[in-house]
Amino acid sequence: MATSPQAGLAGLAGLAGLSGQAGLAGLAGLAGLAGLAGLAGLAGLGGTSAAPDALIRNRDGVVGPWDPPNPPWPFNLNIDDPNNLKRWDAVVRATIIDYEMISRIGFTANPGGQQVALWHLKVAPGAPPVPTYQPLIDFVRPTDDIFRGQLKFLDQYADLRADREGEIVSQMSGGLSFLGSVTYLHPERTKWTIELLSAVLRLASYAEMRVKQGMSCRRPLEFSPQVQPMIQTPAHGSLPSGHSTESFACALVLLRLLQASPINQHPLSPIIAPPPPPYPYPPQIDFRYGQQLMRIASRIAVNRTVAGVHFPVDSACGCLFGLTLGEYFVQRCITGAQYTSWHFKGDQFPNPNPAVINPPPVAPPDDGDFYWNSLFDVQGNGNQTPAPPYATTASVVSLQNDTPSIALPWLWRQALAEWT
């Protein structure tokens, strides 16, 4: 059957795969390399599935006798030059970035201490390189008593299911579209930012799943037959919450991009005049952007408790984890910096004793629910000081004399240039 010449251009619709990369429908969708594969839609320029046969016949008809090429030959590309990254397929770039991130993270478990830990592998330059592991974040599992005590929140939050149903279903694969309602994310305008966030999400996904396996915490419905989640409970551990981890990691990276953007560094063009002291606001960034990003990340996390698949302590753990990974990611992008490592002490999370029928009321944030602003201070532009007892700093780890990534700083610069 004959087709119009323009039909081949329908292959360009494959560019719609960028919306999969943009993942504005969800965090997990953005994390998937399959979304990046949407760029392969450019192959539509080749036409239909019969294209190989057509190309064979086309060559036979036009190529003529073999004529060896003459110099000048193509010059060789520089070895491991980050500028070569722009030449590659988006999936290839994603694979390179994932390798550079994940190859530098180690995992350990201490069953006797009910603890797991992630480590940054610092590699001093040299051949062979000299590696040493530095702390990143560790986790102590909450006690069963704490989980049981939190069941009351599952019961109370269930009252919000009818109101939050639309949000919860939309966020089942993530919630970047909600964060994107605060900042200007679009696959044409901010394609490098979207690729950067995709890397953040894949990092969070890999790391959180390894920690989930290590912690192996049971889901709410395993504690009570009355939880009855409104959606399917995922088939992996409860702590940390993946939605919380990914949402806060993305919120933090987006905030840092805004703060570092060229427009915010221009002395004559601040986004908004900074509020007066005593708060140490960044001089040229409207703190309300950070506030809205963190509030949305929190709502995404809390919605998982409303749905009946997560405890508040899961969200608190994910919040600290996401903020830590987000800052770690940014510091890996701006080489030669430093990051703060953290302890999540789940056994010290506040909990009204469930064995007491009528426990005395406890005021927030010590009532056992999740409060993001206990962990992050938007006005102070960093982690809350003092932090709650269940979240304590371990050490400040310098990335000086660490072999830098070639891909991460390059991608950060491409993304940063979009925020003008």
Side-chain angles (χ1 to χ4, degrees):
M1 181 177 69
T3 57
S4 67
Q6 289 81 7
L9 293 176
L12 286 170
L15 285 170
L18 273 168
S19 64
Q21 179 194 3
L24 297 184
L27 290 167
L30 192 151
L33 290 176
L36 292 169
L39 291 168
L42 281 170
L45 289 170
T48 69
S49 59
D53 177 70
L55 289 171
I56 291 170
R57 295 175 184 275
N58 179 76
R59 180 182 183 277
D60 288 345
V62 303
V63 72
W66 177 249
D67 183 13
N70 297 316
W73 317 113
F75 61 87
N76 285 326
L77 299 174
N78 294 331
I79 293 291
D80 208 25
D81 186 340
N83 292 319
N84 296 339
L85 289 164
K86 193 173 286 189
R87 294 173 171 267
W88 315 142
D89 185 276
V91 174
V92 173
R93 278 196 302 272
T95 304
I96 293 167
I97 288 167
D98 288 355
Y99 175 84
E100 294 209 349
M101 286 301 307
I102 301 303
S103 65
R104 293 296 196 91
I105 296 180
F107 173 89
T108 58
N110 177 8
Q114 300 285 290
Q115 183 180 30
V116 303
L118 294 181
W119 307 80
H120 166 66
L121 182 63
K122 187 173 182 177
V123 180
V130 180
T132 56
Y133 277 107
Q134 304 293 327
L136 178 55
I137 186 170
D138 58 56
F139 308 82
V140 175
R141 185 160 62 182
T143 65
D144 286 345
D145 188 60
I146 290 175
F147 282 125
R148 287 194 298 270
Q150 297 218 320
L151 287 171
K152 71 171 188 177
F153 293 112
L154 274 294
D155 179 53
Q156 294 166 355
Y157 275 118
D159 292 341
L160 296 175
R161 288 181 182 179
D163 292 336
R164 302 273 186 104
E165 178 184 1
E167 293 177 43
I168 290 167
V169 172
S170 297
Q171 294 163 358
M172 284 180 67
S173 60
L176 191 60
S177 57
F178 293 82
L179 293 173
S181 68
V182 175
T183 57
Y184 197 157
L185 295 179
H186 189 282
E188 293 296 330
R189 182 184 174 101
T190 57
K191 66 177 183 179
W192 295 113
T193 298
I194 289 167
E195 197 164 315
L196 184 80
L197 292 175
S198 179
V200 175
L201 289 168
R202 294 192 305 274
L203 167 64
S205 179
Y206 293 138
E208 80 203 21
M209 286 301 175
R210 189 62 187 94
V211 174
K212 281 175 179 282
Q213 155 61 23
M215 290 281 91
S216 296
C217 296
R218 293 187 181 275
R219 291 279 182 166
L221 60 73
E222 297 181 278
F223 282 85
S224 171
Q226 292 184 295
V227 172
Q228 300 177 27
M230 60 172 284
I231 58 175
Q232 177 67 57
T233 297
H236 47 74
S238 192
L239 183 140
S241 163
H243 277 67
S244 182
T245 303
E246 294 166 11
S247 299
F248 279 101
C250 277
L252 195 284
V253 172
L254 276 171
L255 178 59
R256 295 296 183 241
L257 268 177
L258 285 174
Q259 292 171 334
S261 68
I263 194 172
N264 289 327
Q265 303 308 313
H266 196 299
L268 300 180
S269 303
I271 289 180
I272 191 170
Y279 302 111
Y281 293 101
Q284 291 163 322
I285 181 71
D286 186 340
F287 81 98
R288 289 172 294 187
Y289 278 93
Q291 185 180 65
Q292 292 301 310
L293 288 169
M294 295 299 162
R295 285 178 177 178
I296 289 174
S298 174
R299 190 173 176 98
I300 292 169
V302 171
N303 277 346
R304 302 295 282 177
T305 301
V306 174
V309 297
H310 273 296
F311 295 101
V313 68
D314 300 338
S315 296
C317 181
C319 176
L320 182 65
F321 195 11
L323 293 172
T324 302
L325 286 178
E327 195 65 56
Y328 172 72
F329 183 91
V330 170
Q331 298 306 314
R332 290 283 307 277
C333 289
I334 52 176
T335 58
Q338 62 187 26
Y339 68 87
T340 300
S341 62
W342 286 84
H343 301 296
F344 177 79
K345 301 177 179 179
D347 58 345
Q348 296 187 29
F349 198 79
N351 177 49
N353 187 350
V356 179
I357 296 177
N358 293 306
V362 180
D366 297 322
D367 59 352
D369 206 351
F370 163 54
Y371 302 95
W372 68 268
N373 48 12
S374 294
L375 297 168
F376 191 82
D377 178 12
V378 175
Q379 295 178 343
N381 192 36
N383 291 92
Q384 189 65 263
T385 303
Y390 63 85
T392 60
T393 56
S395 61
V396 175
V397 178
S398 172
L399 295 176
Q400 297 287 339
N401 300 318
D402 192 358
T403 302
S405 164
I406 64 105
L408 289 167
W410 177 86
L411 183 55
W412 175 266
R413 291 193 297 270
Q414 308 310 306
L416 192 58
E418 294 175 331
W419 296 92
T420 58

